[in-house]
Structure formats: structure tokens, C-alpha cells
Amino acid sequence: MPYVMVQIPQPAAPASTPAPRHSVPTSADVARLAGVSRATVSYVLNDTGAVRISEATRRRVRAAAEELGYVPHAAARSLRAGHSRVVLMPTPAIPMGPLYNGFVNELQWALGRLDYTVVQHAGRGPRGEETARAWAELRPVAVLVPGSMIGPEGVAVLRRSGARAVVTLGPEPVDGAHALLMDHRGVGHHAGAHLHSRGRRRIGVVMPEEPGLDVFSRPRLEGVRRALRGTGATVTELPLGYDEESAARLAARWRALGLDGVFAYNDEYAMLLMRALQDAGLRIPEDTAVVGADDLMLGRLLRPRLSTVHIDLPAGRDLAALVDRAVREPGGEPERHAVLGAAVVHRESS
């Protein structure tokens, strides 16, 4: 039987050969390259001060880790330590302004120096225990949260999930949590007393219309009322949206209101209102004295320069030290610290 030769086509070669996958470098690779033990690598890269290691060895280990592109595994380190190094900071649902943002940046830097990782949680939803459960899923070692966002039940949820420290910021403490007590009544009291000392007797207080800011504006209004109690001066609430149209509408009826002074909640609202009053033909401070709060740089650049209430927030390094103490000694009594010092900075607008 004759044979038939059949040509079987060969598969075409791939256009390019994929690059070989490189394995993830390990601490053992770093140890071999540096000529030290894995324990030494761990001590150096975790910056453990309990073991004495020469500076030359530390440099060699760091150089080997950099050459290999090695990064310590956070999850493995957490398993060894028995807890994570994550500090959770829920993001407030309201605009906090430059002063608070600067405080948060300093705090993140200070916690990083103590080998913590700060995670800002931007979740939105119901407050209280349900929100605390969402935070607990991330297994933070500590949580820094505005007191208005959590209650005792939420603190208990976080503690049961392994959080060693819950620190609240607000005017009132929360059971079971450390607290930085930030009473905004003092801010308003200083502003009201200053305006009265400058001869102002018909004083307006700006109340921002943006949702959530009443937790700050109401105590500041109360502080103004306390400062003027028994003096015969009057206090008028002034709802104001953070936009030029709202400011222009308020300025248009300013003469009818008969106000000779205003505490404008903070510097941003003060600058917005002051420009609208000037556009309406009112003189600052001759017709109306204006006082803000926060002592922002922009307020010093206005003409007239803006009088303000300078606010002393807690130093980021001090709060970081509180978190670290609570993590190291989780069974201690909650610490309570009164913060938020305030002082008037008198400039040309009042």
C-alpha cells in the first residue's frame, strides 16, 4: 500500500516570550546578601531598640533590603506582635478647614515616627454601633474619632474586635474611651468679649448652613451669649451659606438688622462676609467690626486685616504619644485631657 506523506503544520512561535516572573524578595534573601541572620534583619528593619546592633551592620542590612526591593510584611509583623499597627481615623462628613487638616497631617507624621500606619476611613452611613462594626472589620489597633460619631456601645464593639485604644475628640467624653475635650464655647466667649470691649453692643453670630457644622457653631454661639450676659448687648443669629450669593443677600439687609459687630464663626466665613459687606458699601470696622476664628494666613493678607480667635489644637506628637501609651498599656483607665486653648488676635477689622 502506497504511503502518503502528510505535512503537519507546526504552531507559530509566539511573537514575544513573556519575561520571567521574579519571586518576591524575603527576609532570608536580605539576610544572605547582608551576611547576617534573619533575626538581625527583623531587628534592624523593625527598628527594635531592645537588641544592640552595630551601626555598620544596620547600614549593611538596609542597603541589602534596598538593593533587593524588600519591604517588611505588615500582616506577618502583626501576627508576631498579636495586633496590627493600623490607626484608623474616620473622615468627618463635614468640611473641617485648613486648621484641622494641618493638625491631622502633623498627627499622621508623629504616628508614622512611632511605626504606626494611619488609615483614613471615608465611609458614610449610620453612626453608632453599626459604623463601629464597619471600622472593626479593618482590625485597627487604635481609632481616633470625633465624639459625635460614636457612643459607648460602639467603643465596646471596637474593643472586643481588638482595638487597644479608642480616642474621641469633642466637647464631652464617651464611656470607655480616652478623650480630648474640645469645648468650642471658649472660642465664642473670647470673640464676644472682644467685640464688647471694642464698644460693640448689637452683635451678630454667623451660623453656617452647611450640614454638620452645628456641632461647632452652637457651642460658639452659646459662648458669645455667656460673654455678653448681663451687659445689655444683644445677640442675633445669622444663618449663612458658604457662597457669595448667600453672603450678598445677608449684606443687603445688614443696615436693617442694625448690627455693629459680628463673630463670623471662622476666618473663612469672616472673609466671605467681610467682602460682601464692603461690596454693599459698609465700612470695616467703622460700621461693623468683624472677628473670625482659626487665625489663617489669608486673614492677615486682607485689608483691613482680620481680627480672629487663635485656636491651640493639641500637638500631633502629644496625641500620638497618648495613642502609643494606650496601645502598650490597654488595661489602664481612660485619659481625659482638656484641650483647645483660645486667644483673641486683635487686628484692623475690629
Side-chain angles (χ1 to χ4, degrees):
M1 178 180 294
Y3 292 93
V4 177
M5 301 293 293
V6 178
Q7 183 79 24
I8 300 177
Q10 298 296 316
S16 60
T17 303
R21 296 182 61 185
H22 296 286
S23 59
V24 177
T26 67
S27 61
D29 299 328
V30 177
R32 279 193 294 271
L33 183 59
V36 297
S37 68
R38 290 184 66 180
T40 299
V41 170
S42 177
Y43 292 142
V44 171
L45 298 184
N46 290 322
D47 203 21
T48 302
V51 179
R52 296 185 62 181
I53 299 174
S54 70
E55 187 56 36
T57 299
R58 290 180 181 274
R59 285 196 299 268
R60 198 161 68 248
V61 168
R62 293 190 185 107
E66 184 176 353
E67 180 179 337
L68 294 172
Y70 172 75
V71 178
H73 197 296
R77 182 171 58 182
S78 297
L79 286 173
R80 290 193 298 271
H83 58 78
S84 76
R85 302 293 292 180
V86 170
V87 176
L88 183 68
M89 293 184 64
T91 304
I94 55 177
M96 298 301 293
L99 184 67
Y100 179 81
N101 292 336
F103 161 69
V104 169
N105 289 338
E106 181 187 351
L107 174 60
Q108 289 179 321
W109 177 86
L111 286 168
R113 296 275 294 178
L114 294 172
D115 198 30
Y116 293 98
T117 299
V118 177
V119 174
Q120 289 194 299
H121 190 276
R124 300 288 186 265
R127 297 182 178 184
E129 189 172 348
E130 184 176 344
T131 301
R133 291 185 187 281
W135 299 337
E137 291 179 5
L138 300 176
R139 294 297 188 269
V141 72
V143 179
L144 306 179
V145 57
S148 60
M149 295 180 68
I150 196 170
E153 298 81 7
V155 173
V157 167
L158 290 167
R159 297 301 294 267
R160 287 196 299 270
S161 73
R164 295 189 167 202
V166 179
V167 182
T168 62
L169 297 88
E172 302 293 339
V174 177
D175 288 345
H178 302 272
L180 295 182
L181 302 175
M182 309 173 78
D183 188 353
H184 286 261
R185 284 185 288 263
V187 177
H189 192 284
H190 279 80
H194 173 70
L195 286 168
H196 188 268
S197 73
R198 303 301 297 171
R200 310 298 164 152
R201 298 296 181 265
R202 300 178 305 280
I203 296 171
V205 178
V206 165
M207 304 297 291
E209 293 181 334
E210 279 60 40
L213 289 182
D214 58 318
V215 70
F216 306 113
S217 62
R218 284 290 162 191
R220 293 185 182 192
L221 172 64
E222 182 183 344
V224 174
R225 292 192 190 279
R226 286 186 180 184
L228 301 179
R229 191 169 295 158
T231 66
T234 60
V235 176
T236 302
E237 296 183 38
L238 303 172
L240 177 63
Y242 191 61
D243 59 78
E244 292 180 297
E245 292 77 13
S246 181
R249 288 194 298 270
L250 178 56
R253 59 189 185 92
W254 198 264
R255 289 184 174 88
L257 291 169
L259 302 176
D260 60 6
V262 59
F263 171 47
Y265 174 69
N266 69 8
D267 286 356
E268 292 173 289
Y269 280 87
M271 291 185 277
L272 175 70
L273 179 58
M274 194 162 83
R275 171 52 58 194
L277 292 174
Q278 290 172 323
D279 288 346
L282 289 148
R283 299 170 300 162
I284 310 294
E286 292 84 357
D287 297 324
T288 299
V290 180
V291 176
D294 291 354
D295 195 12
L296 300 183
M297 173 63 76
L298 281 176
R300 306 174 206 177
L301 304 179
L302 295 182
R303 295 298 180 269
R305 294 177 176 86
L306 180 64
S307 295
T308 187
V309 179
H310 177 86
I311 297 174
D312 290 319
L313 287 172
R317 61 181 178 277
D318 293 337
L319 181 50
L322 167 60
V323 170
D324 192 49
R325 284 197 305 273
V327 169
R328 295 175 184 275
E329 303 169 9
E333 286 294 317
E335 296 185 30
R336 307 282 166 81
H337 299 280
V339 296
L340 203 70
V344 170
V345 180
H346 179 210
R347 299 194 183 102
E348 298 158 3
S349 70
S350 63

